[in-house]
Amino acid sequence: MENYQELTLKQKSFFRSGQTKDVAFRIDALTKLKELMSSHEQDMIAALKADLNKPETETKRAEIGLVLGEINFMIENLSAWSTPNEVETPSTHSGATSFIVPEPYGSALVIAPWNYPVQLAVAPLAGAIAAGNCAVLKPSELTPHTSNLLAKMINENFPEEYLRVVEGEVETSTALLKEKFDYIFFTGSTGVGKIVAGAAAKNLTPVTLELGGKSPAIVHEDADLDEAAVRIARGKFANAGQTCVAPDYLLVHRKVKDQLIGKMKEVITNTYGENVSENLDFPHVVSERHFDRLNEFLRNGEVVAGGHSDKSRLFIEPTILDHISWEDPVMQDEIFGPILPVLVYDEIAEAIDAVVERPKPLALYLFSDNEQVQDDVLNTISFGGGAINDTINHMTSHYLPFGGVGNSGMGAYHGKASFDTFSHFKSILKRSNK
Ligand code: NAD
């Protein structure tokens, strides 16, 4: 069994030296990380092509661009965020002052998944650095080219007592989780999230869990169907549906269902071509296990768009399934692939009830300009975050903390929320003896 005690002890000792608490040190580290991302752009494009057949434009936008934007935002704001914040003092404590000091936890463990293997590893790592922590990053074994590249980039340019990438499978994760880290940041499935939370509980280590779930796209009868079709199709089929915030299923008003499906079929053709299997840029499914799981869903309901698959290339065509019920296998768990089941409703209350009865989703998308409907949905359904008349773009704003709730996770990051997540806020009352 692997043992990471020596590594964690080295990191704790380096942390105690106080170097990572210096804001200039953190800015230097973030700047170096940024430069590494830029100088390895071509390597990352090649690694993601090999691991997921991810097209260059997607890698540049969703993996590299997004992370560089996050790092730049952190560098710009770090001095302000890390300055102790003076707050009011109650009159019962006269003569005293009060302030809140953000301090790093110590050594943080970041465990990342495979679907955006650069973004979901490096964005939390940047948060850990910004807040002044040391960190160990465990990328996913399912995207080995990318994990290997990340290890090379970090391990050859930072000392291990500060930052370390540890590659490996479940056993490696399990061994790392045995160590007493000061913070654990996990992105992955709800099932593994429970294992991570259990391991963290043994050491009372605080955790952020960025998990998944079934995120609905609700399309009401008044929706602009042209826009809805484009935004839902792009959000769903990007990265072949392997996006944590992708719309998992469509909940559409009965009156507009056929029209919406017709428009989505056009969008799929316009975006990916008449014959998607000939589109060499369409990402593939990450593994045979996931392919087999997804392929079974193609038998659910009625295929009204797509439906083809090719195991030899781990290819599944963007597919829309009509006449689906909540009991179908495709509706039992997060799909995480390019398959969109369609369910209908007649009253918005029905749609709301259906979502509320199930585990809280990571994201929810509502297509409607009706303010009453918007209020009803926002006020009654609990979900991580989402968008009105759009999909997935809420997670690309530095100003919107990103995270789940209930089964879709706990805690949040991005922008200042990343700094906050990796910081403990120490409250101090200072009294004078004069
Ligand atoms: P996963 O849970 O299988 O694996 C995630 C990480 O955990 C990997 O590094 C893996 O090695 C490790 N791991 C796996 N089994 C483990 C175990 N038993 N003990 C300890 N560590 C273990 O998830 P995945 O398949 O890589 O990613 C897909 C899931 O992640 C989906 O559910 C998706 O919704 C979710 N996700 C969430 C977000 C988010 O930001 N909320 C982002 C991307 C993916």
Side-chain angles (χ1 to χ4, degrees):
M1 178 76 158
E2 301 153 81
N3 186 326
Y4 294 99
Q5 195 180 31
E6 198 186 321
L7 176 62
T8 46
L9 289 177
K10 271 189 192 165
Q11 289 213 342
K12 279 176 198 291
S13 154
F14 184 67
F15 181 71
R16 273 198 303 274
S17 77
Q19 294 179 57
T20 67
K21 291 195 177 171
D22 179 17
V23 172
F25 177 95
R26 304 183 204 178
I27 291 179
D28 278 353
L30 288 170
T31 308
K32 194 162 165 185
L33 187 62
K34 202 174 98 171
E35 286 164 4
L36 284 168
M37 295 284 294
S38 302
S39 59
H40 288 78
E41 185 182 87
Q42 288 309 318
D43 299 333
M44 283 188 272
I45 289 168
L48 282 153
K49 186 81 188 162
D51 283 332
L52 290 163
N53 195 35
K54 210 173 259 214
E56 179 173 334
T57 44
E58 264 296 288
T59 296
K60 283 188 173 164
R61 191 186 59 81
E63 303 272 10
I64 303 170
L66 200 136
V67 175
L68 287 178
E70 275 282 298
I71 298 177
N72 283 332
F73 190 72
M74 286 173 183
I75 292 174
E76 274 164 38
N77 292 287
L78 197 54
S79 293
W81 294 344
S82 42
T83 304
N85 182 20
E86 192 162 341
V87 294
E88 304 238 350
T89 303
S91 55
T92 44
H93 300 52
S94 71
T97 54
S98 307
F99 48 96
I100 301 168
V101 188
E103 64 171 24
Y105 280 104
S107 171
L109 172 64
V110 175
I111 302 179
W114 52 263
N115 58 330
Y116 288 82
V118 171
Q119 185 209 128
L120 299 173
V122 183
L125 185 69
I129 294 172
N133 296 275
C134 301
V136 174
L137 166 65
K138 209 301 269 168
S140 173
E141 66 279 17
L142 295 185
T143 39
H145 296 89
T146 311
S147 300
N148 201 257
L149 177 63
L150 288 174
K152 198 166 142 268
M153 284 162 62
I154 302 294
N155 296 351
E156 289 179 4
N157 291 285
F158 293 96
E160 65 172 344
E161 59 271 26
Y162 179 37
L163 303 176
R164 185 79 190 171
V165 173
V166 174
E167 289 180 89
E169 308 211 355
V170 176
E171 298 69 39
T172 305
S173 242
T174 308
L176 284 166
L177 287 167
K178 287 213 163 78
E179 298 305 324
K180 185 168 167 40
F181 283 92
D182 301 292
Y183 202 88
I184 298 175
F185 188 104
F186 171 80
T187 306
S189 57
T190 302
V192 178
K194 289 179 185 174
I195 297 174
V196 171
K202 291 201 177 113
N203 289 315
L204 285 181
T205 305
V207 285
T208 294
L209 300 176
E210 294 280 345
L211 312 177
K214 287 187 90 61
S215 301
I218 302 176
V219 181
H220 200 52
E221 57 182 319
D222 71 302
D224 178 329
L225 297 182
D226 289 316
E227 292 298 351
V230 170
R231 294 170 190 178
I232 293 170
R234 298 242 166 105
K236 175 72 187 186
F237 300 117
N239 206 31
Q242 301 168 113
T243 305
C244 58
V245 287
D248 184 275
Y249 61 96
L250 201 58
L251 205 45
V252 53
H253 195 285
R254 192 182 302 276
K255 278 190 195 155
V256 294
K257 182 195 76 172
D258 291 338
Q259 236 186 317
L260 179 66
I261 291 178
K263 287 178 189 290
M264 286 191 66
K265 285 161 80 166
E266 279 173 35
V267 176
I268 294 172
T269 309
N270 294 341
T271 312
Y272 303 107
E274 201 65 57
N275 187 350
V276 190
S277 70
E278 284 172 7
N279 180 336
L280 298 178
D281 265 349
F282 193 73
H284 59 222
V285 173
V286 70
S287 67
E288 281 196 10
R289 185 173 68 84
H290 282 284
F291 177 92
D292 290 340
R293 182 181 62 80
L294 291 167
N295 210 30
E296 282 299 303
F297 295 151
L298 298 176
R299 302 161 187 241
N300 290 192
E302 181 194 342
V303 172
V304 290
H308 297 105
S309 61
D310 176 354
K311 191 166 180 173
S312 70
R313 293 188 295 132
L314 298 178
F315 167 79
I316 292 188
E317 196 177 14
T319 298
I320 302 177
L321 300 175
D322 197 2
H323 306 297
I324 291 293
S325 79
W326 290 103
E327 285 67 45
D328 282 315
V330 74
M331 291 309 296
Q332 303 316 306
D333 276 313
E334 181 182 17
I335 300 167
F336 224 56
I339 299 171
L340 184 69
V342 181
L343 293 107
V344 287
Y345 67 87
D346 293 295
E347 300 293 333
I348 192 68
E350 223 182 286
I352 291 173
D353 284 348
V355 180
V356 169
E357 279 165 16
R358 297 179 163 79
K360 296 178 180 181
L362 179 61
L364 182 143
Y365 307 111
L366 170 66
F367 288 82
S368 171
D369 285 321
N370 180 326
E371 288 188 9
Q372 186 58 53
V373 170
Q374 293 176 359
D375 286 350
D376 287 350
V377 167
L378 294 187
N379 293 337
T380 46
I381 307 179
S382 176
F383 53 95
I388 292 173
N389 296 322
D390 201 1
T391 64
I392 72 178
N393 283 318
H394 63 295
M395 73 159 295
T396 61
S397 164
H398 309 306
Y399 303 100
L400 291 174
F402 171 69
V405 57
N407 270 34
S408 55
M410 57 180 78
Y413 73 131
H414 288 179
K416 179 155 191 302
S418 290
F419 176 88
D420 292 353
T421 284
F422 285 100
S423 299
H424 165 62
F425 287 87
K426 193 155 74 180
S427 292
I428 304 294
L429 179 92
K430 185 172 173 183
R431 260 184 101 171
S432 158
N433 288 322
K434 290 190 185 132

